[in-house]
Amino acid sequence: MVNNILRNGILGGIIAAIVMASMTFYMKTNPGVEPNAMIGFAGMLLAFIFLILGIKQQRTIDNGTISFGKAFLTGLGISIVISTIYVLIWLVIYYNFFPDFMEKYSEIALKNTKPEELAAKTIEINQMKEWYKSPLMVILLTYMEIFPLGIVVSLIGALALKKK
């Protein structure tokens, strides 16, 4: 089970990291242009295909049967590996290549905000800037980008692929 989790998690993590890194470097080289959030979300979903494949492979390893619990734990394990790779790559990018990310992001976000929402968005952005001063908060916020989706896909995959 561990080999299955690691193999699929690493493959999914590579895909998620490549999409995230591509979008980040696009943002860095095209200041003022907001990257498409749907591309990032689609990249995460693409990475989580390996979560579904991993559950299916675990069912094959277990002679064609898998309980909901084992399927969910397999998916959750793969999700943790994918999310951890995503976070580690973001830390490398942020601290080594794009330390002014929050400044660039805040410029884009505030520029594209409707006037009636500007005050609330400014408060939100200032809070994120404060959080980004702490490496622990950078890690937690980055996990929050991807891991909840992994939990949802794990639940759906476990429900769809369980077999007695």
Side-chain angles (χ1 to χ4, degrees), residues 8-131:
N8 286 291
I10 289 169
L11 292 171
I14 289 169
I15 289 174
I18 287 172
V19 172
M20 181 259 304
S22 299
M23 290 184 62
T24 303
F25 285 114
Y26 174 81
M27 184 180 162
K28 186 172 176 69
T29 57
N30 297 291
V33 178
E34 187 171 12
N36 190 330
M38 291 308 291
I39 294 172
F41 184 71
M44 289 178 193
L45 284 177
L46 183 64
F48 286 126
I49 287 173
F50 285 96
L51 188 151
I52 300 298
L53 291 174
I55 293 172
K56 203 168 183 187
Q57 289 169 0
Q58 191 61 48
R59 186 172 74 183
T60 303
I61 291 167
D62 293 345
N63 298 317
T65 63
I66 192 166
S67 67
F68 170 80
K70 189 165 187 179
F72 179 69
L73 288 177
T74 300
L76 197 61
I78 294 169
S79 180
I80 289 169
V81 174
I82 290 171
S83 299
T84 300
I85 291 170
Y86 181 87
V87 169
L88 292 174
I89 296 300
W90 173 245
L91 291 173
V92 169
I93 291 170
Y94 177 66
Y95 285 109
N96 294 299
F97 301 105
F98 205 1
D100 60 341
F101 167 77
M102 279 309 298
E103 291 304 316
K104 302 292 185 197
Y105 174 75
S106 64
E107 288 172 19
I108 292 169
L110 294 175
K111 180 181 89 172
N112 296 325
T113 301
K114 296 176 186 173
E116 61 271 9
E117 299 171 357
L118 192 58
K121 189 67 167 180
T122 302
I123 292 169
E124 178 186 329
I125 292 294
N126 287 336
Q127 179 63 58
M128 285 184 68
K129 284 181 180 180
E130 281 301 310
W131 287 339

